[in-house]
Each structure stands twice: as structure tokens, then as C-alpha cells.
Amino acid sequence: MAGISAITVQREIILEAVRSTTQGEWKVLVLDDGSKRLVDGVVGEDDILEANVTRAPYGIAFPRPKTNSRADVERIEDKRPMNPEMDVVYLLSPQPYIMDCLMADFERRRYRKSHLIWTSVLPSELRAKLDQSALAREQIVRIRALNIDFFPRESHLITFRDPWSFPTLFHPACNQLVQTHVEDLAKKIVSVCVSLGEYPSIRYYRPLNPEHEAGVPCSYLAGFVQQELDQYAKMHDDFPPVSTRPRGALIITDRSMDLFAPLVHEFTYQAMVHDLLPVIEGDRIFYKISAKSDDASDGGKDAEISEKDNIWVANRHLHMKDLIDKLVSDFENFREKNPQFAECSDEPSSLNNIKDMLAGLPQFQEGKEAYSLHLGMAQEAVNVFTKRRLPDIASVEQSLATGLDEDNKKPKNLADQVVRLLDDDAITFPDRLRLIIEYLLYRDGLLASDIKKLLAHAQLSVQDGEVIHNLDLLGAHVVRKLKDARPVAQPFFARKQPPPPIDEEGSLSRFEPTLKAVLEELIRGNLDQIRFPFTKPLLDAAEGLMGQENVSQASLRSAKPTWARTRSSAAGSKQRIIVFMAGGATYSESRACYEVSDSSSKDVFLTTSHMLTPSLFLRQVGDLSVDKRRLNLPVDKPKPKAPAHLFEKDPPPPPAHAAPPSQQPPVAGMANVNLNSNGIAAGKSTNGSSRNPPLSTNSKAAKKDKEKDSEKKKKLHFFGSKK
């Protein structure tokens, strides 16, 4: 999709900050663990080198390195050489232990002058520590704070890489941590808004008659975000930047708004890969290729899946039924554009042909491997789809999630269909648990005895039962009484009558996450202001009713960040909608945001603490009833400290001309040997002064000195003969 990319925005902010600091002069760049993760995610190695960053050991200013090694950037936690002849650019996270590392550098005067760039606003207590240090004031040239404390995963998908956010928000024993965590989330959301140049109107999800504490964080979070944004605008005259773009919108919601989305099987490429295949998720994403696969080298290997993979980016939201045909067609087109590599028994007719083949080989090989990887991944996903009887499961769960059958009518006999699937040995235990939860959500709660029967019928464990009962912490009605007068919960939005599916595969993908309907209603100006109120109702409600199409965020402030001036006018004219999903978002919701962006000519950015797969969601819900100490939350771990080696003194340097004793004549000892009858050592006077007189032109003095030199040589010969 066309439009602005969050990856590009963050990259340009970082590089502009480094370039404006180096100003064409070579400087050392020092990062910490946190800032290095931010930089590595969006900035290439060549980009760093082009910004006049180098590591010049011991103060020697080398010319621009020709290597692409990451060794050109230092980590503040590591042992580093003293470099007092070079200036340094620090790009650091505003953490107390990082401040301690920085102060240790100032104490030792490790670099000449220091330029400080913080990834986000420096807390007042840390800023006071800098201000009160005379050494820091002496060495610091400039301090600035960026707003880049987030991780763009895709062009329109941003995460905070914080899976611990889910238990912090929803675990009953973490209530005392919620306020601090919400404040931290608010600062990161503001970083996203500022980086995108948006001062948006804010709306948040408010459940109707909430019976759980999960309905509270959205209102708190929205209030903190509004407060932080207002404060930032007050302190920065250049925010928001002047633009003809309609004012943006920020929607704050949480996982409790849609519990079906993390459970329903999604059959688009990206969602299937993360749900069904062995994917390793961390700072980077890898697909584990089986050692038995045709694509595997010795013992198998990991293939990275990233935004640099054009095939992945172009096809990740395609339905699986369309994906394989498109991959095969695209690969054939690729081969046709590279005829020099077509399989042929004829030998090359000339050396020029051989030269052309060798010149194009790396590019061809890379393209061939990319297509081979995705054809293999797609085929493996289809194999799992068939083996685990997912078509049969999807047929039932689509009716449970939408409340309609394939003919858009109220489904019948769903309980019998669920029980038959639970009896099927081909259905895995995690899929059985997902089916039971979906049935419970469809019924808006079940009798406690019925839940026990379903668990026993599915042969699920006690821990699986905990997962089901913990759903009430997210607002689900789990247990109903025998004579429960509570009405069945109504759908979030009135169900639309979709056109009948044209094929069987299409009937297995009728469910759409609630977030898609929220975005569509927002764009039309019809989003319910009771369920999604504004943080500033009197000021922003009119914009919501107009669909925000005619409201510009242009202001009298003329300053404009460098990164904003470099974008094309076409990309910059789209209205931007930022969605924050507290507690984790799904790949179906990410796909929905891209689809709304394309259909409405908007730029919709999904922001969340972390991405959820069905297995991760079930595991995190199950953990809501375990002892808090077993959650291993970062807040419960010992606070990181600056490494001790940063405070160690360097060993004294060796003597400039020292030599091993066995190789050096004992000249100093000879000078002190007493060979005179009056007891005065040779070469010394009684008061310890030097025996050498001042330089004179007198010939007698010169002659006398010559005789003394001759006498000294004799003494040396004599002393040496006694060895």
C-alpha cells in the first residue's frame, strides 16, 4: 500500500539527529542495549557509517571505514578504550543505570566533548543529576530528546515489544502496578503521535455496564495520553507541524473489546504462518526450516521474515486459496525476466554470455531462494491445514464468531457439531480448547456443570479449565446460573448481511474482527459516542460527527521537522488514524487496518504492546490465575546496574623506555660505586649536586672534562672485568 511508513519515519528521525550532531566531523557513536534495539530495527549499517560515525581507538582519527561492521558503534555497558581526542554522540535510553554509566564516562573523561541524544524525554530526577554535575556541564555540548521509544514492525504496525503488559493490566495481583504501567504506555503512545506529526483527537473504548476491572484502563490511559500530548504541545512551539492534512484520530481500546479475534482461525498467509508454523519471534522473526525440507541445508536453518522481503510484504494478507497460485505465477514471470538462467542443455555461445550470467547470478540466486522459501512455507501451512482438520473446525467456529451460518441465518445444532469435533482424534488439544471457548462466548456463558462436561469430553487438563475461567477477568461471561435472567449479550455492532460466499473457501473466512467495524464507523462519522467517548467532548465531538474530513491540524506555528519536509505531498495529505490495542493485537486486526487504509484512502497505524498468536493468548490467559511471582515480570526483577568495570581505574602505563633487567647494563649502579678515598661517590658532590660543571669555552675546563671521561671509561672496564 502507498503512504507513509512508520519504519521510514523513525529511520529519518534517528539519522537526522545523528547527522545534525556530527555535522560532517567524525565522532564516536555510543548506544545502550535499549537504544541499540531501536536503531537496529530501522537503520542500516551503511546509514550509520554515512553519518560520519566511527570508532577511532585511542584518539586516532581514521578515514571513513570501508567495512560494514557493527563494531563502528560502541555500547556504553561494554569495556571501551579511552578516546580523549574524539567527540562522542550518545544515543541513550533514559534509564537510571544508563545515567550511571554516562556519569562514569564523564568522571574518567573518556571522550573529548559529548553530545547527548535521548530516545525519549529525560525524567526530571535524571536531568537534575546532569545539571548538578560540574564534570557533566563541562563536557556536554548539547542535549536533545527524540520521541522514538517504540518499534515499527511493519510500515503500519508498531509494537512496544512488551508481552508483560497483558498480565500487568489483567492479573488481579498486579493492580498496584497498573497506574505506573499505564503512564508508561501513555508516554510511548505520545512518542508515536509526535513522530508521525499528529496532535489527534482521542477516543477510547468504554464497555457498557462493565462488570470487570478490564473496562477501566482505557479511560485512564486516554486521560494520561491527552495530558501528555497537551503538555508536549505547550512545551514545543513546532508541534504539531503545519499541514493541510486533516487532523488525525487516536482510538484507544483493549483486548477485552474482542475475544474472538485471538481464537478464530485466520486463513490469510501471515496469520497462518504465525499460528501453524514453527516461527521464532523476538526482535526479529525467523521461520525454522525443517532439516528434511528441500530448502534446508545441513541440519536445517532459520530464514528471516522481514520488511526487506518484498514477496512477504506483497502477499502476507492474501487468503491461502489465492496465495499459492500467485506465488507460482510470479515465479514464472521472474524466470521469464531472467532468460540467461533458464535451464538449457546448450553451452554458452560466447565469453560475453558467461560474463553476463556471472554478473546476474547473485540477484537471481537471492530471488530464487526467496520464492523457494515462500512456496515451501505456503505448502507446509496447507499440509497442517489438512492434517488438523481445520476446514471442519472453521465451518463451526465461523458460525460461533459471526452468529450466522453460511446462509446468513441463525445457526442450528451448534452444540452437537462442537461435541462431534471434540470426539475427533485428529483435532489437537489446543484446537479443542479454542472451540470450547468460542462456544462459551457465543452462548455468553455456560452452566458450570456443562463446562466440566465439555472439558472432560475433550480430555483437557485442569490448566485448560483455568484458561476458561480466567476469561471473566477480560469481561467474558463464563458461568451462567440455571435460572439466569440476564439477557444474552448483543453483538457489538448490528450484524450486516454479507453477500453469500462464492466458494467453500470463502465461507471459512466470514468473520471480521470488531476493530474493522470500529474503523469503518469512525471514518463514516457514525462511531457511537457512548461506547467510544472523546477525552474532550465539547471540542472534538463536532469533528467526529463530520468524519474529520474537513478539519485540518494546521496551526500558526511555522516550524517543521526535517523528516516532515522530505515526504511527498501525496503521502502527506492522507488523514492518519492511530489505534492502540492494550493487551496485544492479532494479525487479523493488523490485516483489517491495512484493508481499511486501502479502501478509505487513510493511513491507519495499529499500535500495541505486542502481537498475539492464539497459543500465546491462551497461555497468557492461563497465567492470570498463577502466583504473581511466577510471572517473572521485569518490575519484580533486580534493577539493572552500571557494570563495575566502568568505575575501575586504568592500570598505570609502563615506563616509556623500560627494558628487562637482564638485558640492561648496570650503569646506574656503577655511578654510585664508592671508588674515591675520601668517601664521595664518583659523579656526586657532598651536597648531592651534579658533578658536571656549567658549559665553558675555557680550554682547561674542556681538557679536565676529557680526562674525567677517560677515567670513567677505565672504571667501567675495571668493573666489568670483575663480573
Side-chain angles (χ1 to χ4, degrees), residues 178-242:
V178 171
Q179 180 172 344
T180 301
H181 181 64
V182 166
E183 291 176 356
D184 182 58
L185 289 177
K187 293 176 182 178
K188 294 182 178 181
I189 294 171
V190 169
S191 289
V192 174
C193 295
V194 172
S195 294
L196 293 175
E198 291 296 329
Y199 193 178
S201 60
I202 303 175
R203 303 178 72 169
Y204 60 95
Y205 170 56
R206 182 170 63 186
L208 298 179
N209 304 317
E211 301 175 2
H212 61 295
E213 296 183 4
V216 177
C218 285
S219 60
Y220 280 149
L221 180 55
F224 281 125
V225 172
Q226 187 70 70
Q227 180 180 341
E228 291 285 338
L229 268 175
D230 292 344
Q231 182 68 19
Y232 186 88
K234 182 179 179 181
M235 300 297 294
H236 296 79
D237 292 337
D238 60 349
F239 180 80
V242 175

Side-chain angles (χ1 to χ4, degrees), residues 269 272-274 277 279 286-289 293 295 303-305 309 312 320 323-324 327 370-383:
Y269 185 32
M272 288 188 74
V273 165
H274 286 275
L277 300 187
V279 173
F286 293 92
Y287 168 61
K288 186 73 175 179
I289 299 178
S293 171
D295 300 324
E304 185 176 1
I305 304 173
D309 187 338
W312 171 255
M320 190 58 69
L323 174 68
I324 295 180
L327 286 177
Y371 278 108
S372 178
L373 168 67
H374 289 289
L375 285 169
M377 288 171 60
Q379 187 59 57
E380 182 63 22
V382 170
N383 293 342

Side-chain angles (χ1 to χ4, degrees), residues 198 244-248 548-549 551-553 573-575:
E198 291 296 329
T244 58
R245 186 175 60 249
R247 185 185 183 189
Q548 300 178 340
E549 292 293 341
V551 182
S552 172
Q553 67 172 0
S573 61
K574 290 184 176 181
Q575 184 190 19

Side-chain angles (χ1 to χ4, degrees), residues 591-613:
R591 184 256 309 161
C593 289
Y594 279 98
E595 291 177 349
V596 171
S597 295
D598 290 337
S599 63
S600 63
S601 297
K602 309 287 184 183
D603 270 322
V604 181
F605 295 88
L606 176 60
T607 307
T608 186
S609 55
H610 63 299
M611 294 304 293
L612 285 172
T613 61

Side-chain angles (χ1 to χ4, degrees), residues 13-14 17 21 30-32 35 38 76 89-103 106 114-123 126-131 136 140 142-149 191:
I13 291 174
I14 293 173
T21 304
V30 176
L31 309 175
D32 60 66
S35 63
L38 289 171
I76 198 169
V89 179
Y90 289 101
L91 179 55
L92 303 175
S93 308
Q95 301 292 333
Y97 82 100
I98 297 298
M99 180 61 75
D100 292 339
C101 295
L102 180 63
M103 298 304 291
F106 290 150
S114 300
H115 303 258
L116 300 187
I117 304 175
W118 300 99
T119 58
S120 59
V121 177
L122 194 64
L126 297 184
R127 181 58 190 255
K129 193 170 185 178
L130 279 180
D131 294 340
I140 293 174
R142 183 186 183 191
I143 301 177
R144 64 181 297 187
L146 307 180
N147 289 278
I148 56 171
D149 194 14
S191 289

